[in-house]
Amino acid sequence: MPADFNIKLIPYKDMESIIPLVIQLNKGKFPEDVLKSRLKDMLAIGGYQCIGVYDDIKLIACCGFWVLNKLYAGKHVEPDNVFVEQAYRSAGIGELMMNWLFDYAKSIGCIGAEVNCYRKNEKGKKFWERQGFEALGYHMIKKFE
């Protein structure tokens, strides 16, 4: 990692700093106020944290994650909302975040990780496979409208 990049957990009080990156990640699909409300609820539930990568003081990448314990998976981390600013892509920042996250997960007693990736996100799928993930099944969703 270049000397001027810094990776760290984002404190809960500063968690809204990820919202501009999450807006880019979702291509503006969700308004800022909706994302802020959802984030507030996620933080209230507990178990959600976020890594930030900074170029000096500018947040250039983030990786939210859940610490979960499921019957089929045991205690594990689940990366969520992983995003790197366009100008910083292909510089190894995604892998840097995953290495940091996996070391952190092991330090708190996690035995693995699981991730969801959109079907059409071929670059994302390849990234997760390079990180050692294997497809186990389907992640399915049903919206109540």
Side-chain angles (χ1 to χ4, degrees):
M1 176 170 63
D4 54 349
F5 286 1
N6 184 26
I7 185 168
K8 63 183 178 180
L9 281 174
I10 299 173
Y12 271 28
K13 68 179 181 58
D14 300 328
M15 198 69 81
E16 282 191 2
S17 67
I18 70 169
I19 297 296
L21 298 182
V22 176
I23 288 171
Q24 290 180 63
L25 172 66
N26 290 288
K27 298 176 177 32
K29 182 178 177 182
F30 306 107
E32 182 177 347
D33 60 325
V34 169
L35 293 173
K36 284 182 178 180
S37 176
R38 289 177 178 174
L39 179 60
K40 181 179 175 186
D41 290 345
M42 289 164 53
L43 296 176
I45 291 169
Y48 186 77
Q49 299 178 64
C50 193
I51 299 165
V53 179
Y54 298 85
D55 184 355
D56 193 22
I57 62 168
K58 180 185 178 191
L59 180 64
I60 60 162
C62 65
C63 171
F65 64 95
W66 295 92
V67 177
L68 301 167
N69 202 335
K70 296 181 182 176
L71 293 173
Y72 72 90
K75 185 175 181 183
H76 64 283
V77 292
E78 183 177 317
D80 189 27
N81 297 309
V82 179
F83 184 78
V84 178
E85 288 268 11
Q86 182 70 37
Y88 294 88
R89 292 187 189 156
S90 299
I93 292 173
E95 184 171 353
L96 175 75
M97 287 191 292
M98 290 308 106
N99 290 339
W100 191 100
L101 177 59
F102 298 155
D103 288 343
Y104 176 76
K106 291 173 194 173
S107 79
I108 61 169
C110 292
I111 62 170
E114 69 176 352
V115 69
N116 293 303
C117 182
Y118 292 123
R119 282 184 326 205
K120 294 180 181 181
N121 184 355
E122 286 301 317
K123 285 184 178 180
K125 181 178 177 288
K126 287 179 180 167
F127 172 79
W128 294 117
E129 288 171 344
R130 283 194 311 272
Q131 301 308 309
F133 288 86
E134 298 176 9
L136 176 64
Y138 295 102
H139 175 87
M140 301 173 84
I141 189 167
K142 177 179 176 145
K143 293 280 189 171
F144 301 120
E145 309 232 12

